[in-house]
Amino acid sequence: MDLGKSDAPIDDKFLTELTSFDGFVLPTVYKELKKQIENLEVSERDVWICSFPRSGSTWTQEMVWMIVNNCDFEGAQIPIYERCLFLEKKGFRVYDSSGANPIEQINNRKDVQKPLVIKTHFTFKSLPKDISSELKKPKIIYVTRNVKDTCVSCYHYCKFIFDYRGDFSEFCELFLAGKVPYSPYWNHVMSYWQMRHNPNILFLRYEEMKSDLGGVIRRVSQFLEKPMTDEQIEVLIHHLTFETMTKNPAVNYTALHEPLRKVRPEGRFIRKGRIGDHKTIMSLDMQKKFDEWIESSLQDTDYSM
Ligand code: A3P
C-alpha cells in the first residue's frame, strides 16, 4: 500500500512511514511488535481502553485509572503514560524516549493481583489473540467521538507530533480514504460496536462524557465493579474537567512533548476539548462529503452518531 502517493499529493514523511497491516494503517515499525502483541499474556483483571486516536482515550484513561485505584490522588501525580500502559508505544518513535516497553511490563508484571490499565488504538481483531478469540475476557472500554471532530483533532495531532505538512482539506481526504494511522475509521469503530453486547465490553461516547460526566463515571464504576461514594464522584468530576486536565502535568503530556514544543510551540496534546470544533475549520463542502461518507458507511449497520 503506497501511502506516500495518495490522491492528495503531499510531501509528508510520516505518511511514508505507514504501512497496511491486516487492512489497517499503522506505523511500519509496528511489524516488529505484531507477534509480541498477538501472543501477549492477558489477565482478566486488567482493564483495556480502546479507541480510534483522538477520541478521548486519555480522558477515559484518567477516569478509569482513578476508579480502579480508589481515587488515589497522590498516585495520580505520576505521569499517565507510566500509570497506564500504551500497548503499541514502541511503534511510535516519538514516545521511545521514556524507555520502558509496555509489552515487557505486562508479561513480566510483579504483582499479578493488581489490575493494569492498558490503552491501545488497535481494532478488536488486532488485540492479543487471547482477547480477539474471546478466550479471555478482560473488561474493555471503547470510546468514540463525532468523526468530524475526531478528524480535526487527528489533523492537529499529526501536525504537532508527526510534523504533518499538508493542509486541512488534504488531511480530510486522507482520512476519508482510510490513509491516516489506524484507519479505515468505520472498520475500527465497527470492530468494537459489533462486540458491545458482550458483558465485558462497554461502549462510551465522548459527547456523553461532556454532557454528563457524573453519569458516565457512575456507569463505569458499576461496569468495573468498583463502587464509589457521591463525594468521590464529585471530586473526580472536578479532576476530569477539561480546565483541570489541561493544567495537570501528569496528564497533559507537557514534559514528554517539550522537545516538540520547541519546534512547534502551538502544539497541545490536550487542545480544545469541544464538541463541534469541526465547524470552525471544515468547509461546508467537506462537511457534506463527510455526511455522505458517514451515510454510505453506516447504511447496513445499526450504528448512529
Ligand atoms: P481536541 O483535539 O479536539 O481538543 P485522545 O486522548 O484519544 O488522543 O483524545 C484527545 C482529545 O480529547 C483532544 O481533543 C483533547 O483535547 C480531548 N480531551 C482530553 N481531555 C479532555 C477533557 N478532560 N475534556 C474534554 N476533552 C478532553
Side-chain angles (χ1 to χ4, degrees), residues 51-59 119 121 145 153 206 210 240-242 245 269-274 277:
S51 75
F52 191 85
R54 307 306 284 169
S55 301
S57 56
T58 312
W59 195 11
K119 159 179 161 165
H121 294 309
R145 181 182 192 183
S153 188
Y206 179 95
K210 283 289 283 188
L240 294 173
T241 60
F242 181 80
M245 277 195 51
F269 186 82
I270 298 187
R271 198 183 57 93
K272 273 192 178 172
R274 292 205 189 126
D277 192 36

